[in-house]
Amino acid sequence: MTVLAIEGLRKSYKGHLSITTREVIRGLDLTIERGEVFGLLGQNGAGKTTTIKMILSLIFPDAGTIRIFGEPNSSVTVRARVGFLPENPYFYEYLTGVEFLDFYGRLFGYGRAERERRAARVLALVGMTERAAMPLRKYSKGMLQRIGMAQALINDPEFVILDEPMSGLDPIGRREFRDIILDLKARGSTVFFSSHILSDAEAICDRVGILKDGRIGTCGRLADLLTSSVKSWEVTFAGPTFASLQLNGFSGSLLSARGDESLVRVDVEADLARLLDAVRARAGRLIAVAGRRDTLEDLYLREVAPAP
Amino acid sequence: MKVLAIALNTFREAIRDRILYLLLVFAVLLIGSSRALSLLTVGSEEKIVKDIGLAAISLFGVATAIFVGVGLVFKEIEKRTIYTLVSKPIVRSHFILGKYLGLVLVLAVNVSIMTACFYGLLLVKGWADAAIASAVFLTLVELLLVTAIAIFFSSFSTPILSSLFTVTAYVIGHVSWGLLMLAERVNGLGRGICHALYWCLPNLERLNVRGMVVHGADVPLDQVLTATVYGVSYTIIVLGLAMMMFRRRDFL
């Protein structure tokens, strides 16, 4: 079942004094299926937040359609099934954590007992039960991110939209957020999130899309986009210098040399055998041979790097 | 229920803001000191006390309506709290209505406190009468309208501009009756324009019976009723316009 379907989305912003316009999104198409964790990647200013805001009807597209669960995204009933955590969230700082979640619970029309039950559940989920009585103005950035996640999940949403959810979190917090997202997926929710932290995206996404020039350039399952075979090797050896091996027509290069240790990249398998033989022939000591696979970072850099 | 949630949250925000207390304390002090001021002036002591008391209630009410009202919507957008709010299952007009009702609740509490102090002072002196209630009630209706105007401007403009526009609308509202007098002195197109402007602009003087009350005149009930219908109808129209402006606004 399709959870999100975007077709031909366009959005431009007016410049200074409304004389100039800058088209940020230029014909974006995207489909997200139920149960997926989708990562929207792109450089700063690529239009990730603009896209998310259009999905949530916070801003309106110049052209194109957005449907969530088959209904127009402006539908109020659809929004009851969606959870949203904005980037660097700001909240009513005069409220305590409990009052804050109670307020959002009211916006879904829940009764008092239901609100209390749901608030307790999401507070426990984001590890904020102990700080729930504190006013939000005393929260750290990471705590605000957590309570923000709690309000996004108060309605037990089927579709969760997270804008840069890991920003502002320490490594432990990032790990916990990753676990929360994976837990959402395990319970059948669909997750759409934007990020520029590629390691997080690689760890939790089923599919990624890279936003470039206002469109989704590369999009697909990580397993399909990243070749699983080893692309190159890194060989560390001690003893002879790389130059002294005199390998003619060698496909790799010396990456670093420290003391009598050398680190060499090898691009072709046949050259790997030649290098190992040469090291042994010179009575060198082999320290490590590591195969390097394609990473999301490699793919991302290939996609967003400006054309030469 | 959802509108009420937003209204109560707006109320909570206002009562946790110290500036509001400062305004209220200042107003109560002014009402309290009207007795002292009356001793320094020539004329009837009762009139002076009533005049200052009613003026203080109106002035501090209007100040609260304008300066809290213009910031209500803007602050939500500026602080980006609106992102999580509008993405919940509410329609945007509920947001405007909730914000409006929240501030009206604040004003109702403020005016009640100021009126209680004022009435207490009048009771001590034996000057309390029912007409005072009519004047305070119509002041509250005026505040309903001024708040709606403040929210209307703030639905598409910055707080500074909205304050300027609302204060201008308030001043015009108190002199717009002059357009009818002007219409009698001009002919043709000029008269038509004067009449059109009079019917478009708010006439806040219809809601001002403070002068009558201070001078001991009775305020007929039908006058209070028609003024209330006028004020509430105008408020509904202005709020409707605010909701229309807000419906297609981009939250950048």
Side-chain angles (χ1 to χ4, degrees):
Chain A
M1 184 201 172
T2 302
V3 172
L4 175 71
I6 302 178
E7 274 178 40
L9 201 65
R10 287 183 174 274
K11 179 71 182 174
S12 51
Y13 290 125
K14 287 195 167 67
H16 192 55
L17 297 175
S18 302
I19 296 169
T20 54
T21 55
R22 189 170 64 91
E23 196 168 34
V24 180
I25 302 296
R26 304 168 183 174
L28 185 146
D29 300 305
L30 180 66
T31 307
I32 296 180
E33 299 298 327
R34 182 181 284 277
E36 269 193 302
V37 177
F38 183 90
L40 184 66
L41 311 176
Q43 286 178 295
N44 290 336
K48 300 189 294 286
T49 299
T50 297
T51 305
I52 287 178
K53 281 185 181 175
M54 282 192 277
I55 295 171
L56 291 156
S57 298
L58 293 173
I59 58 176
F60 298 95
D62 300 335
T65 57
I66 303 172
R67 300 184 84 81
I68 303 175
F69 300 114
E71 287 185 57
N73 63 330
S74 54
S75 153
V76 172
T77 51
V78 154
R79 270 183 261 145
R81 300 162 70 187
V82 176
F84 171 51
L85 170 66
E87 182 182 8
N88 300 326
Y90 290 83
F91 297 120
Y92 305 103
E93 53 185 25
Y94 51 88
L95 296 180
T96 66
V98 170
E99 289 171 341
F100 171 75
L101 292 174
D102 188 72
F103 170 60
Y104 282 98
R106 279 174 190 265
L107 295 181
F108 285 94
Y110 302 138
R112 178 192 281 263
E114 179 75 3
R115 293 199 301 272
E116 285 175 1
R117 187 184 66 76
R118 284 176 180 266
R121 185 183 65 84
V122 290
L123 280 168
L125 192 68
V126 298
M128 288 291 288
T129 307
E130 314 243 306
R131 315 286 177 96
M134 259 169 70
L136 265 52
R137 73 165 66 87
K138 293 186 178 168
Y139 278 22
S140 68
K141 200 177 171 200
M143 286 156 75
L144 281 176
Q145 197 79 5
R146 283 162 191 265
I147 204 80
M149 186 64 135
Q151 66 78 31
L153 303 179
I154 192 93
N155 56 327
D156 209 358
E158 294 164 66
F159 183 33
V160 186
I161 300 174
L162 311 167
D163 194 0
E164 299 282 358
M166 315 290 194
S167 69
L169 292 176
D170 57 24
I172 296 172
R174 272 168 58 190
R175 164 66 71 85
E176 285 173 357
F177 260 52
R178 253 175 12 203
D179 291 344
I180 291 171
I181 293 173
L182 291 173
D183 181 55
L184 287 171
K185 177 182 159 65
R187 289 193 286 131
S189 297
T190 309
V191 182
F192 175 100
F193 81 96
S194 74
S195 183
H196 62 263
I197 303 174
L198 299 176
S199 58
D200 292 330
E202 196 164 6
I204 54 179
C205 286
D206 297 311
R207 237 166 27 109
V208 294
I210 298 176
L211 196 56
K212 192 189 173 192
D213 299 329
R215 293 184 198 89
I216 302 269
T218 301
C219 184
R221 302 191 80 77
L222 274 174
D224 300 334
L225 293 175
L226 308 178
T227 50
S228 56
S229 59
V230 174
K231 274 184 62 193
S232 62
W233 294 264
E234 285 178 359
V235 179
T236 313
F237 59 88
T241 61
F242 178 61
S244 70
L245 298 175
Q246 294 179 326
L247 296 162
N248 292 328
F250 190 69
S251 64
S253 59
L254 178 70
L255 295 177
S256 70
R258 192 175 300 156
D260 69 339
E261 276 189 22
S262 303
L263 174 64
V264 174
R265 197 194 74 239
V266 188
D267 295 334
V268 178
E269 199 167 354
D271 282 339
L272 177 65
R274 278 176 64 204
L275 176 67
L276 297 182
D277 289 345
V279 169
R280 282 193 212 102
R282 294 264 182 161
R285 196 158 40 87
L286 197 61
I287 296 171
V289 179
R292 236 184 126 255
R293 288 185 164 81
D294 210 5
T295 64
L296 183 56
E297 189 175 339
D298 297 325
L299 174 75
Y300 181 82
L301 291 175
R302 275 201 303 274
E303 287 298 318
V304 302
Chain B
M1 169 83 176
K2 292 171 188 177
V3 173
L4 192 67
I6 297 169
L8 288 176
N9 193 41
T10 306
F11 180 72
R12 185 147 47 184
E13 180 179 3
I15 60 168
R16 289 185 186 175
D17 194 341
R18 289 191 190 93
I19 292 171
L20 199 71
Y21 291 100
L22 205 69
L23 268 177
L24 194 60
V25 167
F26 198 61
V28 170
L29 277 178
L30 188 64
I31 293 166
S33 65
S34 61
R35 166 95 178 80
L37 286 172
S38 67
L39 298 175
L40 302 172
T41 50
V42 182
S44 160
E45 196 185 333
E46 180 183 349
K47 276 182 196 164
I48 304 271
V49 169
K50 283 183 176 176
D51 206 6
I52 291 176
L54 287 173
I57 292 172
S58 170
L59 198 69
F60 285 98
V62 166
T64 309
I66 294 178
F67 296 111
V68 178
V70 295
L72 277 184
V73 175
F74 184 83
K75 226 158 66 180
E76 294 265 2
I77 299 171
E78 182 76 0
K79 291 194 167 182
R80 294 187 264 169
T81 44
I82 197 150
Y83 292 177
T84 45
L85 205 62
V86 173
S87 58
K88 297 284 182 282
I90 61 163
V91 287
R92 288 189 177 193
S93 50
H94 285 170
F95 171 78
I96 291 286
L97 196 60
K99 284 275 151 193
Y100 174 76
L101 291 177
L103 182 50
V104 164
L105 195 60
V106 172
L107 288 168
V109 170
N110 265 11
V111 168
S112 301
I113 293 171
M114 289 191 284
T115 306
C117 295
F118 179 47
Y119 226 78
L121 184 71
L122 294 182
L123 276 176
V124 170
K125 299 295 289 183
W127 296 332
D129 57 39
I132 293 283
S134 302
V136 172
F137 175 74
L138 287 180
T139 299
L140 198 58
V141 176
E142 183 183 7
L143 294 180
L144 292 183
L145 179 49
V146 174
T147 306
I149 293 172
I151 286 194
F152 165 71
F153 285 123
S154 77
S155 68
F156 60 88
S157 180
T158 62
I160 292 176
L161 280 179
S162 302
S163 310
L164 201 68
F165 292 151
T166 314
V167 169
T168 307
Y170 177 75
V171 173
I172 287 174
H174 278 285
V175 295
S176 61
W177 55 272
L179 284 165
L180 280 186
M181 289 173 67
L182 186 64
E184 284 171 17
R185 290 164 187 266
V186 291
N187 294 317
L189 186 64
R191 177 175 288 191
I193 291 172
C194 284
H195 275 290
L197 276 175
Y198 175 75
W199 286 109
C200 288
L201 295 170
N203 180 1
L204 297 178
E205 275 302 302
R206 287 191 75 162
L207 304 166
N208 181 9
V209 292
R210 292 184 288 274
M212 290 170 73
V213 171
V214 167
H215 289 95
D218 268 344
V219 184
L221 187 63
D222 62 337
Q223 187 183 344
V224 175
L225 282 177
T226 51
T228 304
V229 170
Y230 171 79
V232 171
S233 308
Y234 208 110
T235 300
I236 291 171
I237 292 169
V238 175
L239 269 184
L241 288 173
M243 289 173 189
M244 272 172 60
M245 297 297 292
F246 204 64
R247 214 173 55 184
R248 294 295 296 176
R249 180 167 178 176
D250 277 351
F251 302 128
L252 300 175

